[in-house]
C-alpha cells in the first residue's frame, strides 16, 4: 500500500491537479499533499490553497482506488471541505487520475 511519499510521486507523475487552482489534501498527523495547478506541481508543502480537503490517509487511498465515493464520504463526514466548493466539485477529474495500489 502506498505511503505518503509514494502517493505524492504517483499523483505528480499523473499530473493530477486542477489548472490554475491549488488543492490541499490534509491527512492530519500523516501530512498533506498539495496539488498546485498554478505551479503545475505536487508536493507535501503545507501551504495555502483554494480548497482544503480533510480526510484520513486510509480513506484517501480508498477514494483513489475507487473503493470510496467522494459524495458518500462527504455525506458520512469522512471527507470535509474548506474553501471553494466549486473547486471541490471538480475533484472527480483529479481522483480519476489517481492510481494508488
Amino acid at each position: 500500500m502506498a505511503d505518503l511519499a509514494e502517493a505524492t510521486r504517483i499523483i505528480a507523475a499523473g499530473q493530477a491537479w486542477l489548472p490554475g487552482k491549488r488543492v490541499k489534501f490534509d491527512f492530519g498527523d500523516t501530512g498533506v499533499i498539495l496539488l498546485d495547478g498554478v505551479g503545475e506541481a505536487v508536493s507535501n508543502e503545507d501551504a495555502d490553497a483554494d480548497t482544503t480537503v480533510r480526510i484520513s490517509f486510509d480513506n484517501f487511498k480508498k477514494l483513489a482506488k475507487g473503493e470510496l465515493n467522494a459524495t458518500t464520504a462527504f455525506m458520512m463526514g469522512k471527507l470535509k471541505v474548506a474553501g471553494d466548493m466549486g473547486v471541490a466539485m471538480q475533484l472527480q477529474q483529479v481522483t480519476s487520475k489517481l492510481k494508488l495500489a
Side-chain angles (χ1 to χ4, degrees):
M1 193 55 62
D3 64 5
L4 184 65
E6 183 180 358
T8 303
R9 182 189 56 75
I10 292 168
I11 294 167
Q15 298 182 351
W17 55 71
L18 296 172
K21 301 294 181 183
R22 294 177 63 144
V23 178
K24 179 170 53 178
F25 286 94
D26 183 345
F27 308 118
D29 291 340
T30 302
V32 302
I33 295 178
L34 179 67
L35 311 179
D36 186 352
V38 176
E40 296 185 348
V42 177
S43 72
N44 298 114
E45 180 184 356
D46 191 1
D48 290 338
D50 298 296
T51 302
T52 299
V53 178
R54 288 182 180 80
I55 186 171
S56 73
F57 191 60
D58 285 339
N59 282 333
F60 176 75
K61 289 187 285 188
K62 289 177 185 176
L63 185 73
K65 290 169 35 179
E67 297 173 357
L68 179 65
N69 177 281
T71 303
T72 302
F74 180 79
M75 297 301 274
M76 294 175 67
K78 293 181 178 185
L79 180 152
K80 297 181 180 171
V81 178
D84 189 335
M85 282 298 281
V87 172
M89 299 302 289
Q90 297 176 50
L91 286 177
Q92 180 65 32
Q93 297 170 32
V94 171
T95 57
S96 68
K97 295 180 182 180
L98 304 179
K99 304 290 185 238
L100 302 182

